[in-house]
């Protein structure tokens, strides 16, 4: 087929109702760029016509995601720049494109749709990639379904996560200073959480969603805290227990494969929840807040570290990102910062401090992507080509989203303030830059 790239570019612009903001290369080697798009920028590569069939069958983000995971779509050049250019099409319009299978009144659109169908080849589309989450059982955020979702994301191999995250094995936003390393920034994040919780020797700390044990180890080793960490991932738990034994901290730390809703051995002096609340879901969030409140002693502190999204004009129209839901965090949901704060207050907490650190997450994600790209062949061997491609795309796209303020991340410090009203919080807990 002669010059498939020019034909695809023209059709894409007709169907999208606007110019395609990147250069396109097709499976026949042809390239095309809309006016104003230079030759030096990133190139979107359509390696196989199968990608078109996926997008026709599932217009919007899910079709694109399936083609990316299958290796039928690729990028040459700066992935961040390409995602930034495409953001107006993929995110700022809510991830929606015009369905080619819907009835359209515009004759030009009907003609463009027919032309794209001819280029794409015979339907139906290929099967979704094996990495897509399927066969979910139980109601959303039931214990059984949450176990499935957590296993899908976290049980993909500890060696793979070690490659991406580095020696800290911390899978949440780091806390950066100028010219710091990823390891420095992750250590500083764990330490600022411990200080916000005012950990003292002998304090009981519950670490909800404890991951590979990094917060538990830091709290026990540096502050002498007695820690219970809970996770739904058996691979994480096994890895954490091994690390704890090697550190000689087994007498201070217990790691459980347990749902936080099943923890009954309070009260605790402090609770850390770092990057876990995104898995809870809007329907269950009040139960989450009530449960943690009930597990704390009077005067106990909660540090809730959580990704947020911008509020929607119509909150009822909010939908979970299709790519993230199918391939990354099944059933994960983001809430606006204000809703999280209100729910914590409704549960009885006094929220004493909120620190917004979204720029820190963009820096963190870029370091993780660099780790992945720097050892790509090993990453593929440790998982699969599709899984490695998922992680590269979701981390790079998330970095762009944090940079453009589409999503944020916040640390909420909340206290189970006793009847006396004594919160135990310093009069000036933070020192601001002048």
């Amino acid at each position: 087929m002669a010059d498939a790239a020019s034909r695809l570019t023209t059709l894409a612009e007709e169907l999208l109702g606007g110019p395609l903001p990147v250069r396109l290369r097709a499976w026949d080697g042809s390239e095309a760029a809309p006016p104003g798009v230079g030759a030096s920028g990133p190139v979107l590569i359509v390696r196989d016509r199968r990608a078109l069939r996926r997008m026709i069958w599932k217009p919007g983000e899910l079709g694109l995601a399936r083609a990316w995971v299958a290796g039928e779509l690729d990028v040459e050049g700066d992935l961040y720049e390409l995602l930034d250019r495409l953001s107006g099409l993929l995110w700022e319009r809510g991830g929606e494109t015009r369905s080619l299978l819907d009835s359209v009144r515009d004759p030009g659109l009907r003609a463009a749709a027919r032309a794209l169908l001819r280029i794409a080849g015979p339907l139906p589309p290929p099967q979704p990639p094996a990495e897509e989450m399927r066969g979910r059982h139980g109601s959303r955020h039931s214990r059984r379904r949450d176990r499935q979702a957590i296993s899908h994301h976290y049980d993909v191999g500890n060696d793979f996560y070690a490659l991406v995250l580095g020696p800290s094995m911390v899978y949440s936003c780091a806390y950066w200073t100028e010219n710091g390393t990823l390891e420095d920034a992750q250590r500083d994040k764990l330490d600022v959480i411990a200080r916000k919780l005012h950990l003292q020797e002998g304090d009981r700390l519950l670490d909800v969603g404890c991951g590979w044990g990094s917060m538990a180890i830091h709290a026990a080793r540096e502050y002498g805290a007695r820690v219970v960490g809970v996770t739904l991932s058996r691979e994480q738990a096994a890895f954490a227990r091994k690390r704890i034994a090697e550190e000689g901290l087994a007498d201070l730390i217990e790691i459980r494969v347990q749902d936080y809703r099943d923890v009954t051995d309070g009260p605790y002096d402090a609770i850390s929840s770092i990057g876990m609340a995104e898995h809870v879901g809007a329907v269950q969030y009040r139960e989450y807040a009530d449960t943690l409140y009930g597990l704390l002693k009077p005067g106990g502190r909660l540090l809730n570290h959580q990704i947020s999204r911008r509020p929607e004009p119509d909150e009822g129209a909010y939908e979970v990102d299709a790519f993230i839901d199918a391939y990354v965090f099944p059933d994960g949901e983001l809430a606006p910062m204000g809703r999280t704060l209100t729910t914590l207050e409704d549960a009885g907490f006094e929220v004493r401090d909120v620190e917004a650190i979204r720029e820190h997450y963009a820096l963190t994600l870029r370091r993780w992507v660099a780790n992945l790209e720097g050892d790509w062949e090993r990453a593929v061997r440790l998982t699969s080509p599709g899984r490695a491609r998922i992680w590269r795309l979701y981390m790079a796209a998330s970095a762009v989203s944090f940079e453009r303020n589409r999503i944020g991340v916040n640390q909420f410090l909340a206290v189970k303030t006793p009847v006396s009203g004594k919160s135990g919080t310093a009069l000036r807990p933070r020192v601001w830059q002048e």
Side-chain angles (χ1 to χ4, degrees):
M1 181 181 298
D3 201 3
S6 294
R7 296 183 65 187
L8 287 177
T9 299
T10 300
L11 292 172
E13 291 180 350
E14 291 180 17
L15 292 164
L16 294 169
L20 191 67
V22 296
R23 176 175 291 275
L24 187 71
R25 182 184 303 151
W27 55 89
D28 63 350
S30 62
E31 287 194 19
V37 175
S40 61
V43 180
L44 179 63
I45 305 171
V46 185
R47 295 196 181 280
D48 196 299
R49 290 189 299 168
R50 290 159 58 96
L52 305 181
R53 299 206 294 274
R54 295 187 193 275
M55 289 184 279
I56 289 169
W57 196 261
K58 281 290 184 183
E61 192 170 298
L62 187 56
L64 286 166
R66 287 174 172 173
W68 173 270
V69 175
E72 297 152 5
L73 287 181
D74 208 345
V75 173
E76 181 179 288
D78 191 329
L79 176 58
Y80 298 103
E81 183 181 350
L82 182 133
L83 291 169
D84 200 39
R85 291 187 185 187
L86 291 177
S87 62
L89 299 176
L90 295 179
W91 295 297
E92 290 165 14
R93 295 184 184 180
E96 296 178 359
T97 58
R98 304 184 204 190
S99 172
L100 302 179
L101 301 181
D102 290 341
S103 173
V104 290
R105 296 179 179 178
D106 188 320
L109 285 178
R110 288 201 299 271
R114 287 194 297 269
L116 189 56
L117 284 166
R118 287 194 296 271
I119 296 174
L123 295 175
Q127 288 295 312
E131 292 84 359
E132 185 167 316
M133 178 69 169
R134 282 169 283 181
R136 306 183 198 193
H137 302 290
S139 59
R140 183 184 289 266
H141 298 299
S142 64
R143 284 165 170 76
R144 180 186 183 189
R145 184 153 158 173
D146 278 354
R147 284 195 299 272
Q148 286 182 300
I150 293 299
S151 178
H152 175 87
H153 185 77
Y154 292 103
D155 292 340
V156 299
N158 293 326
D159 289 342
F160 173 76
Y161 273 105
L163 182 153
V164 173
L165 305 180
S168 71
M169 290 300 285
V170 179
Y171 191 26
S172 54
C173 174
Y175 203 69
W176 293 88
T177 57
E178 293 293 333
N179 302 317
T181 67
L182 177 59
E183 292 308 303
D184 292 338
Q186 290 294 15
R187 181 201 60 234
D188 290 348
K189 187 271 299 297
L190 298 177
D191 202 62
V192 78
I193 290 173
R195 287 186 279 115
K196 286 181 178 182
L197 290 172
H198 200 236
L199 288 181
Q200 305 291 314
E201 186 171 356
D203 279 355
R204 295 191 75 211
L205 170 68
L206 174 64
D207 188 26
V208 179
C210 65
W212 293 272
S214 298
M215 181 64 202
I217 290 171
H218 187 85
R221 184 182 59 212
E222 305 300 328
Y223 291 86
R226 296 173 295 132
V227 188
V228 172
V230 296
T231 176
L232 294 179
S233 168
R234 294 188 180 278
E235 288 195 22
Q236 283 186 334
F239 189 94
R241 289 167 183 153
K242 184 175 184 294
R243 290 179 72 194
I244 290 162
E246 291 171 351
E247 290 272 354
L249 295 171
D251 58 331
L252 289 177
I253 305 172
E254 178 189 0
I255 300 296
R256 304 172 184 168
V257 178
Q258 185 178 35
D259 194 296
Y260 76 94
R261 289 166 287 193
D262 296 327
V263 177
T264 59
D265 60 345
Y268 287 87
D269 297 284
I271 298 175
S272 53
S273 178
I274 308 169
M276 178 271 177
E278 298 89 338
H279 297 290
V280 170
V283 174
Q284 298 290 338
Y285 203 89
R286 177 58 191 274
E287 180 184 357
Y288 164 81
D290 286 341
T291 299
L292 301 190
Y293 185 85
L295 286 168
L296 280 171
K297 73 174 188 180
R301 296 184 175 197
L302 165 68
L303 192 290
N304 187 76
H305 176 116
Q306 181 175 348
I307 299 172
S308 65
R309 59 175 172 84
R310 302 296 298 170
E312 298 281 353
D314 176 10
E315 278 294 314
Y318 167 69
E319 293 182 357
V320 177
D321 181 282
F323 166 58
I324 297 294
D325 187 57
Y327 288 100
V328 186
F329 293 106
D331 294 338
E333 298 177 53
L334 301 182
M337 180 176 68
R339 184 188 298 173
T340 298
L341 191 151
T342 297
T343 306
L344 291 172
E345 289 188 324
D346 287 344
F349 283 106
E350 180 187 8
V351 177
R352 298 291 309 205
D353 185 78
V354 180
E355 185 174 6
I357 54 174
R358 67 174 175 84
E359 293 91 346
H360 293 255
Y361 219 156
L363 292 170
T364 306
L365 285 155
R366 282 179 175 264
R367 297 307 194 282
W368 290 344
V369 172
N371 287 346
L372 176 63
E373 292 178 340
D375 206 352
W376 182 258
E377 294 303 323
R378 181 166 176 262
V380 168
R381 291 197 304 271
L382 290 172
T383 52
S384 68
R387 184 75 65 186
R389 291 174 64 81
I390 289 166
W391 255 245
R392 182 180 180 227
L393 177 62
Y394 113 76
M395 291 191 298
S398 296
V400 172
S401 291
F402 281 110
E403 288 164 352
R404 291 180 66 111
N405 192 28
R406 281 191 293 268
I407 54 177
V409 62
N410 308 284
Q411 289 188 354
F412 297 84
L413 176 63
V415 180
K416 185 176 180 176
T417 304
V419 175
S420 67
K422 296 181 178 179
S423 69
T425 305
L427 290 176
R428 294 187 177 187
R430 276 206 257 161
V431 177
W432 288 94
Q433 291 180 329
E434 295 182 359

